[in-house]
Every structure is written in structure tokens, then in C-alpha cells.
Amino acid sequence: MTTLITGGTSKIGLGLAKRLRASGKGVIFGTRSPQKIPSQYKHVLHDWDDPATFGNAFTADLGATIESVYLLPPPACLEPLPIVKSFIDIAVEKGVKKLVLLSGSPCEKGGVAAGRVHEYLDSLGVDYVALRPTWFIENIFEGLSYGIKGSGEVVTVVPNGRIPFISVEDIAQAAYEAITQPTKFKDIFVLGPQALTYDEVVETLKDYVGSPVTHKAISPDEQIARYKAFGLAPDYFQMLVQMEADTNDGREERYLERENKYVGTHTVAGILEARRDFWKQ
């Protein structure tokens, strides 16, 4: 079995590739940055901005038949379906037996962002799984780290909502299992084992950062102004702020009560410990 992984060198894609390769399964990356692909993997040019590349993986002489696809829609895109629809059609036409879509916990089928891609896959009657992870632990080291290192603050619009933060390693494992095993559900929430508030995350952070850190809860309008200053597209950051604000009602924590869930093993404290040296950089 060979899997086409779209999204190039995303952390989840790389983690999925390692798991597939370790179990003796083939991997092909679709990427617009081939120089970033580890040498042990085959790759083809795949660029969401260039539909002419969508069939490359199915027409190149790669010595393998692609039976499954890990589908990562273009990032920061409010309406990815018009972009990815023709690729999905090509994949189905070429005999792909299973598609695994990376969506998000707030993205209901037919709703915003990947929710419409989810709806389209369902309408085709193909074998698919929509993975819906909650907020990533690793965002502490990416988006949040600038405020932590710069001003000693984590700034959110979530004063007390609990979130079962998930690691990209657990998402990669969930994707691996979705590709290689029959699944009971087509819609799976991917969640961490602990539901924490941002105040609790900050308390754990203090043991690693080496300087004072606080959590500052602000209004959605204030957060919109911050994201606007960062240069994000207005429609996208407004959606992002709304998703963030919606965690205040306990929605993310309630997903732990659902039957259609995958609960990982990595905790916030465990990931912080594994990356302790990050804060020394």
C-alpha cells in the first residue's frame, strides 16, 4: 500500500511518513518544496496554487500505485474546497481507495474551512476519514512563543475554557491508524488526554521558560486587532478568533465525552519537557 501525503513537510505529514515506512508501507510526498523532503522518500511536485500539478503523483513513473491520500488543504484558507475539489476528483478517478482529511475540531461537516471538503468527500460515497484535532500543543513553540519570549505573555480570548491540547505526534498516529485500519467513524475528534485552561498551561510553562510568564485574556475585538497587525487575511483571522472564543463554553472539553474520538498520550508537560532546550535559544 502506498500513501500520497500532501502538504509537503508538515510536522504531521513527516510523522505519518515515518510510521508508514516503519510498517513497510510506501510513501510519496506531494510538495512544492522538494528540497525539504528527506532523501528516503519519493516525491512529486504538488502545489495547491497550480492545478496543473494535481495529477503528477498519478502519472509519474514512481513504481507504485497510490491507494490512500493524506489530504492537508492549503493553510490559512477560509474556503479550500474550490481549490482541492479537482484534486479529489483526480484521486478518486485514479482509484484511490481511502482519503484522510486533516480538518479541525470546530469545523463541522458542511461548515467553515475544511468542513466543506468533509462534506464533499461524504457526497462522493468514497472511503474517507475526517480527522478533527483540537488546538495543538506545539503552538506554544510557534505562535505563542513570540509573546512568551518578547513580553512574557500568552494572549488569548479564552479566560477559563478548558482545552484537551493535542500533540502533532498524536495526530500523526491517528492519521496512520485511519489510513491502515478500518474505522468505525468518518468523523473523529483528535484530543489530548488532559483538558487544561491557558492559566494552567502557563503555570506549567513557568518551570521551563526561566522568566515570568502570565496569561492575558483579552476581548475578541482586541485579538482581531492584534491579528490584523500580524498581516493575516481579515476573513481568516476573524474566523480564527471566533473559533478561539467558542472554546470558552467548554465545547472542546466536551469532545472528550464523544464516542467518535481518538485520545492521544502526549501531555503539555511531556512535550515541554521534551523540548526544554527550546527556551534557551
Side-chain angles (χ1 to χ4, degrees):
M1 183 176 72
T2 296
T3 298
L4 171 65
I5 298 178
T6 65
T9 53
S10 70
K11 292 181 177 66
I12 298 170
L14 287 171
L16 171 59
K18 292 175 184 177
R19 288 163 170 80
L20 290 168
R21 192 167 187 267
S23 61
K25 296 173 174 58
V27 174
I28 296 170
F29 277 94
T31 179
R32 61 181 178 183
S33 303
Q35 71 277 8
K36 296 181 180 179
I37 301 297
S39 59
Q40 64 266 38
Y41 298 110
K42 298 177 181 179
H43 62 268
V44 296
L45 178 63
H46 177 96
D47 186 344
W48 288 125
D49 292 331
D50 183 5
T53 67
F54 291 178
N56 284 351
F58 306 101
T59 56
D61 185 12
L62 299 169
T65 300
I66 297 169
E67 296 182 342
S68 57
V69 170
Y70 169 73
L71 183 59
L72 178 64
C77 181
L78 193 63
E79 291 287 356
L81 180 60
I83 299 172
V84 304
K85 180 179 180 295
S86 61
F87 169 76
I88 293 171
D89 292 343
I90 291 170
V92 172
E93 179 186 351
K94 295 296 183 179
V96 168
K97 294 181 172 61
K98 192 167 198 176
L99 296 101
V100 173
L101 167 69
L102 185 69
S103 181
S105 57
C107 301
E108 298 291 343
K109 182 173 70 174
V112 297
R116 292 188 176 89
V117 181
H118 180 175
E119 181 180 50
Y120 184 65
L121 289 171
D122 194 65
S123 74
L124 295 176
V126 298
D127 189 6
Y128 78 93
V129 176
L131 297 177
R132 296 175 60 185
T134 186
W135 300 82
F136 292 13
I137 298 173
E138 283 76 9
N139 191 44
I140 294 171
F141 304 96
E142 294 166 8
L144 296 181
S145 68
Y146 297 100
I148 294 168
K149 290 184 175 183
S151 60
E153 288 183 331
V154 172
V155 181
T156 76
V157 297
V158 190
N160 47 35
R162 291 186 173 276
I163 300 170
F165 293 95
I166 185 70
S167 169
V168 294
E169 286 298 318
D170 285 324
I171 303 171
Q173 181 64 27
Y176 170 77
E177 294 182 18
I179 286 171
T180 60
Q181 302 172 16
T183 52
K184 181 179 179 181
F185 301 103
K186 299 297 185 186
D187 185 14
I188 300 175
F189 293 98
V190 187
L191 313 167
Q194 297 174 307
L196 303 174
T197 65
Y198 275 103
D199 284 347
E200 291 169 333
V201 170
V202 164
E203 282 301 310
T204 304
L205 261 172
K206 290 177 181 178
D207 295 333
Y208 297 92
V209 175
S211 58
V213 184
T214 60
H215 171 224
K216 180 180 180 180
I218 61 176
S219 71
D221 286 344
E222 289 173 306
Q223 189 74 303
I224 286 173
R226 292 179 72 244
Y227 285 161
K228 185 177 181 179
F230 295 160
L232 298 178
D235 287 348
Y236 177 72
F237 65 64
Q238 288 173 11
M239 178 188 73
L240 192 64
V241 170
Q242 185 60 55
M243 288 178 174
E244 188 180 6
D246 285 347
T247 66
N248 280 318
D249 66 0
R251 180 195 63 195
E252 301 292 316
E253 185 178 17
R254 286 195 295 274
Y255 291 144
L256 286 166
E257 302 169 5
R258 301 282 292 265
E259 185 181 0
N260 58 326
K261 66 179 182 293
Y262 176 96
V263 179
T265 60
H266 291 79
T267 63
V268 170
I271 296 296
L272 287 171
E273 178 62 32
R275 298 188 62 180
R276 176 183 286 272
D277 289 345
F278 173 86
W279 305 104
K280 299 176 183 178
Q281 297 170 12

